[in-house]
């Protein structure tokens, strides 16, 4: 990546994160470096996401989410030179602004994670939002955490979704292990579909997502 000017001001940990985003991209056979690859490397590095990791936000889970969002398809052929996408460059710029906002002289993995959430539209931000990760700001201090689980209650599975799960044991096993809120999001997405065709498609998508996440956990 020939981005020396863009990477000025990043500390050693952040530079290491950015350097190894290429490996995350190559693992997917992608020919670009997106926010999703940046998120995976931040999670692997660990310092900025320690609390999230302890609450169940894992590299494996995020890889499964990326596979679902992108349909599990290779996006081109990874070469020796991989470029940041425009959205990733925007995240890097926001990380610089975040460091300046809090009066710090170098940009750390924490600033990168805050920037992903502030940007809000990339694949990485979408995956974190699905995981109920939120920013809490008091004055200049920003804390990244997961929203508390809502009070649990019984979840009634739609008949079509339940039958689909029964036909796919791996997806059913994973679904049963999910938290209440994550189960509810799957059910709500099916129930909110408009029309029979859309509903059937959402059931298929839910099963595919569960299967991809299950496969990612097996790797």
């Amino acid at each position: 990546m020939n981005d020396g000017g863009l990477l000025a001001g990043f500390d050693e940990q952040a530079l290491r994160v950015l350097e190894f985003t290429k490996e995350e991209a190559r693992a997917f056979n992608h020919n670009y470096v997106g926010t999703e690859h940046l998120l995976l490397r931040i999670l692997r590095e660990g310092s900025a996401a320690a609390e999230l990791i302890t609450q169940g936000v894992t590299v494996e889970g995020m890889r499964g989410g990326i596979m679902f969002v992108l349909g599990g398809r290779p996006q081109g052929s990874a070469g020796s030179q991989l470029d940041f996408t425009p959205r990733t460059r925007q995240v890097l710029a926001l990380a610089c602004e975040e460091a300046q906002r809090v009066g710090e002289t170098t940009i750390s993995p924490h600033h990168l994670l805050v920037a992903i959430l502030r940007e809000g539209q990339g694949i990485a931000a979408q995956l974190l939002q699905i995981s109920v990760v939120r920013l809490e700001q008091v004055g200049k201090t920003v804390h990244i955490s997961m929203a508390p689980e809502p009070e649990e209650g019984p979840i009634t599975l739609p008949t079509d979704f339940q039958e689909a799960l029964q036909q796919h044991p791996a997806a059913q096993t994973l679904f049963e292990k999910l938290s209440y809120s994550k189960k509810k999001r799957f059910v709500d997405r099916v129930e909110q579909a408009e029309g029979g065709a859309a509903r059937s498609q959402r059931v298929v998508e839910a099963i595919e997502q569960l299967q991809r996440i299950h496969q990612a956990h097996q790797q």
Side-chain angles (χ1 to χ4, degrees), residues 25-76:
R26 289 194 178 100
F28 284 96
N29 199 32
H30 293 170
N31 57 5
Y32 60 88
V33 175
T35 63
E36 62 272 30
H37 309 124
L38 180 58
L39 174 60
L40 290 177
R41 185 48 58 171
I42 289 171
L43 288 170
R44 289 191 198 279
E45 193 274 334
S47 65
E51 182 173 342
L52 301 184
I53 293 168
T54 62
Q55 296 184 68
V57 177
T58 65
V59 171
E60 293 78 12
M62 287 297 154
R63 278 183 58 84
I66 293 167
M67 292 168 67
F68 172 68
V69 171
L70 298 178
R73 298 185 299 274
Q75 304 291 305

Side-chain angles (χ1 to χ4, degrees), residues 2-10 18 84 88-90 92-93 96 107:
N2 297 317
D3 290 290
L6 184 64
L7 302 184
F10 287 83
L18 293 171
F84 294 126
T88 303
R89 289 173 179 270
Q90 183 182 359
L92 299 185
C96 180
I107 305 163

Side-chain angles (χ1 to χ4, degrees), residues 106-125:
T106 57
I107 305 163
S108 70
H110 172 76
H111 300 131
L112 288 168
L113 187 55
V114 170
I116 286 172
L117 287 162
R118 289 204 190 282
E119 186 276 331
Q121 299 299 314
I123 290 175

